[in-house]
Amino acid sequence: MFTTTNLWNKDGLLVRDGLWDRMAVLMSGLCLVHCVSTIALVAILSSAGGMLLDPLIHEIGLGIAIALGLFTLGRGVLDHGYIMPVAIGSLGLGMMMGAITLGHDAGHSGQEILYTMIGVGLLALAHDLNYRATH
């Protein structure tokens, strides 16, 4: 039979079936998982950081963006006849192409990132306008 006297000792602490010990082991295990996963995440990010800064990755990404822009925005003009999405998208792609020529280590103090972000934003706006005009 279950009684409260079996659960609590004289100090009012729960003592049933080594619950506190199991909770302590669980916390130790969670701490270990946290420490190992943090080390692994930092190692992965430092390894991937070098790869993600490779100019080839940016060139491939820009090529994909240009191909998708030509296809979707060009198809949009054929569907709805509005040229504004293509004009804004072209400006965005042009800014992205210009930003890629600045390079990472050329001493441009973050201008590449700024121009890329503006270009990507303009391209996203163009795709949104294209979607709205089509639907």
Side-chain angles (χ1 to χ4, degrees), residues 36-46:
V36 170
S37 63
T38 301
I39 291 169
L41 181 64
V42 168
I44 289 169
L45 287 177
S46 65

Side-chain angles (χ1 to χ4, degrees), residues 73-124:
L73 296 174
R75 182 171 170 92
V77 169
L78 295 176
D79 287 346
H80 52 67
Y82 298 117
I83 197 78
M84 183 62 76
V86 172
I88 293 174
S90 298
L91 178 61
L93 286 170
M95 289 190 78
M96 292 166 60
M97 284 186 261
I100 206 169
T101 63
L102 294 176
H104 294 298
D105 301 323
H108 296 289
S109 65
Q111 290 177 354
E112 177 198 12
I113 295 169
L114 176 65
Y115 292 138
T116 300
M117 289 174 29
I118 293 171
V120 168
L122 287 171
L123 187 58

Side-chain angles (χ1 to χ4, degrees), residues 20-44:
W20 290 107
D21 288 323
R22 287 183 289 162
M23 286 176 40
V25 169
L26 175 66
M27 290 304 294
S28 297
L30 290 174
C31 179
L32 178 65
V33 168
H34 166 74
C35 293
V36 170
S37 63
T38 301
I39 291 169
L41 181 64
V42 168
I44 289 169

Side-chain angles (χ1 to χ4, degrees), residues 4 6 125:
T4 56
N6 294 336
L125 173 64

